[in-house]
Amino acid sequence: LFSGIALANNSTVIAKLDGKSITKQELIKYANSIPNSKYRETLKTDEGLRKLAELYIQRQILLEEAKKTVDKNKDENKSIFSSHGKMDEDTIYLIAYLTKEVEKKIKITPEEIQSYMKEKNLTKQQAVSELASKKRREIYFSLIDKLKKKHKIEYCIGADSKSASK
């Protein structure tokens, strides 16, 4: 037997966000819009399409929230919008929003650095870098989880094709 989705036409619905269908064609366009995209390979399998749909949905809900909360005319955001020149406006909104909601919330105490240095046998710079990266992921995924709860997300492919949140 062949995998129906991977062989299906580009109008196949892969997921739904608040009732709006996300088709394979949209995911192809999304994957192709990312420079040097490793995501093009994900278009070949059901699992890959589902993962790409998850990333696409995350971007959509982040962008929606960014456009609601980021005022590009506020002093704190003007430099972000002017310094990213040729970048598309959606991406700049995401940068401004994630800077505010993730980057500025990363706090690392000297005690945490010392403890992590000893535990992992790292230099101070390595410890700070790893701790910041770890905290960045935690804050980001916590933000994503919070935003997802405001939306109805359904996956139309994969073993557990069902609603992710309501």
Side-chain angles (χ1 to χ4, degrees):
L1 287 169
F2 297 101
S3 169
I5 298 299
L7 299 174
N9 69 33
N10 292 345
S11 64
T12 300
V13 175
I14 306 302
K16 293 182 180 181
L17 175 58
D18 299 326
K20 183 185 178 297
S21 295
I22 299 166
T23 64
K24 185 175 179 182
Q25 182 61 43
E26 285 175 89
L27 295 179
I28 290 169
K29 186 177 175 187
Y30 176 61
N32 288 331
S33 73
I34 303 166
N36 304 319
S37 178
K38 63 181 183 232
Y39 300 118
R40 289 186 198 105
E41 281 300 307
T42 66
L43 297 166
K44 296 177 181 175
T45 66
D46 289 0
E47 184 182 331
L49 284 166
R50 185 183 167 111
K51 284 180 184 175
L52 189 58
E54 170 65 22
L55 293 171
Y56 180 84
I57 288 167
Q58 285 180 18
R59 187 179 197 281
Q60 294 304 112
I61 62 178
L62 282 168
L63 185 57
E64 177 185 299
E65 199 65 23
K67 286 185 174 182
K68 277 193 237 173
T69 61
V70 172
D71 179 353
K72 66 181 182 179
N73 296 314
K74 254 190 175 174
D75 286 343
E76 65 193 45
N77 297 322
K78 279 183 181 177
S79 65
I80 292 173
F81 278 85
S82 64
S83 68
H84 286 84
K86 294 184 190 239
M87 210 177 271
D88 74 283
E89 191 173 72
D90 286 354
T91 302
I92 300 170
Y93 267 107
L94 289 170
I95 291 168
Y97 180 69
L98 291 172
T99 298
K100 181 180 79 164
E101 293 297 326
V102 178
E103 291 302 317
K104 290 188 176 175
K105 292 182 178 180
I106 297 171
K107 305 281 186 256
I108 304 169
T109 66
E111 296 78 21
E112 284 178 291
I113 296 167
Q114 288 302 317
S115 173
Y116 201 77
M117 283 170 61
K118 285 180 187 167
E119 179 190 334
K120 303 284 185 183
N121 194 26
L122 300 171
T123 66
K124 184 176 182 177
Q125 185 178 355
Q126 289 170 321
V128 168
S129 177
E130 284 187 22
L131 281 168
S133 182
K134 185 177 172 186
K135 288 187 181 224
R136 183 177 294 110
R137 279 191 307 277
E138 288 169 4
I139 294 166
Y140 175 81
F141 286 113
S142 173
L143 174 64
I144 289 292
D145 288 342
K146 183 180 97 180
L147 293 176
K148 279 175 144 181
K149 288 179 176 139
K150 298 178 180 181
H151 298 273
K152 184 175 186 206
I153 299 168
E154 299 172 73
Y155 294 96
C156 304
I157 61 169
D160 59 342
S161 299
K162 63 181 185 218
S163 195
S165 59
K166 288 188 178 168

